Amino acid sequence: GEDVEQSLFLSVREGDSSVINCTYTDSSSTYLYWYKQEPGAGLQLLTYIFSNMDMKQDQRLTVLLNKKDKHLSLRIADTQTGDSAIYFCAEGLGSKLIFGQGTTLQVKP
Amino acid sequence: DVKVTQSSRYLVKRTGEKVFLECVQDMDHENMFWYRQDPGLGLRLIYFSYDVKMKEKGDIPEGYSVSREKKERFSLILESASTNQTSMYLCASSLPGRYEQYFGPGTRLTVT
């Protein structure tokens, strides 16, 4: 069945790069997404990648997709304290999104 | 900008009460979704709707029902609230054929 897995926690120092990883099981996904949830808020769409792409860059964000291994990653360059949040990856299937458990990113000053 | 609003940010109800959670979107989206979010479990889909008066069960519909009488409004109903329904509830909307969903701020429901 459909499953999306993420590690639950990542801690980095301000200014370092953060890499959040995600694996998914359904190879028929056409789009894969990253959402950010700040404390007490809903989810905000950060970026997405089409399944025929390997990489997408958007300012400090880089998304890498390894379709063979069904592995997705989000790299945040020069991580700031304002990047502290929960990050969810999601795969688009049918007309729904299947979400991972979310990775809590802690940024230490 | 798409705006999705939810009727309450925080709600406290007693076991056995009937609870209504309201969601309104202002971008004329056909698709609307209700999720619950629990630590370590991510978002789990409760119900979704593709159009007025249409509804489909998600992964965890038990104990919940929904109503969509108008395109912009999607309501989640807990017929008889139980303590295991204490959770954060998130509403989202999207255009047909598009996966990107836009989320409301969430309702944190506590059932005592």
Side-chain angles (χ1 to χ4, degrees):
Chain A
E2 316 130 355
D3 201 14
V4 180
E5 297 279 337
Q6 298 177 243
S7 55
L8 295 182
F9 188 77
L10 176 67
S11 180
V12 301
R13 293 226 170 262
E14 194 173 17
D16 288 351
S17 291
S18 308
V19 180
I20 303 171
N21 294 301
C22 172
T23 57
Y24 60 97
T25 54
D26 200 309
S27 56
S28 63
S29 301
T30 48
Y31 285 93
L32 295 128
Y33 295 84
W34 285 102
Y35 280 83
K36 176 183 180 182
Q37 185 182 34
E38 295 181 354
L43 274 67
Q44 169 196 355
L45 178 62
L46 268 184
T47 187
Y48 64 91
I49 188 166
F50 189 50
S51 58
N52 69 354
M53 296 169 66
D54 297 323
M55 185 180 88
K56 180 178 179 182
Q57 188 146 2
D58 185 0
Q59 298 182 326
R60 291 190 297 122
L61 305 179
T62 303
V63 179
L64 294 177
L65 175 61
N66 181 330
K67 203 171 177 186
K68 175 175 166 287
D69 293 338
K70 300 191 187 71
H71 183 266
L72 182 73
S73 67
L74 174 71
R75 179 176 179 269
I76 305 172
D78 187 25
T79 313
Q80 303 298 307
T81 53
D83 295 323
S84 294
I86 304 175
Y87 291 81
F88 290 92
C89 66
E91 57 174 341
L93 282 176
S95 49
K96 298 185 289 183
L97 287 176
I98 310 300
F99 287 88
Q101 307 96 314
T103 299
T104 298
L105 175 64
Q106 179 189 67
V107 182
K108 295 180 180 176
Chain B
D1 274 355
V2 177
K3 190 158 186 193
V4 181
T5 57
Q6 295 184 229
S7 49
S8 306
R9 294 299 304 272
Y10 301 94
L11 209 51
V12 180
K13 295 291 181 181
R14 292 196 179 277
T15 301
E17 280 192 84
K18 190 168 186 175
V19 181
F20 293 86
L21 302 182
E22 304 282 336
C23 175
V24 177
Q25 49 92 8
D26 67 358
M27 285 303 291
D28 207 33
H29 283 177
E30 278 79 1
N31 301 338
M32 296 188 76
F33 305 82
W34 273 107
Y35 296 89
R36 66 177 280 175
Q37 181 183 5
D38 301 286
L41 297 178
L43 273 69
R44 292 181 290 167
L45 183 62
I46 305 171
Y47 268 97
F48 58 104
S49 169
Y50 292 130
D51 204 347
V52 176
K53 297 194 186 295
M54 307 270 300
K55 60 184 179 185
E56 298 276 346
K57 290 180 180 179
D59 300 316
I60 52 162
E62 297 78 19
Y64 303 95
S65 62
V66 290
S67 172
R68 190 143 181 226
E69 296 296 319
K70 292 186 178 181
K71 191 176 187 180
E72 67 270 18
R73 187 180 298 269
F74 192 34
S75 302
L76 180 69
I77 303 151
L78 287 67
E79 294 289 343
S80 177
S82 63
T83 54
N84 63 11
Q85 292 178 310
T86 291
S87 188
M88 169 73 97
Y89 289 88
L90 292 162
C91 174
S93 71
S94 70
L95 286 166
R98 298 298 297 263
Y99 290 114
E100 303 94 87
Q101 293 180 17
Y102 297 88
F103 282 81
T107 296
R108 186 163 292 282
L109 172 67
T110 302
V111 182
T112 61

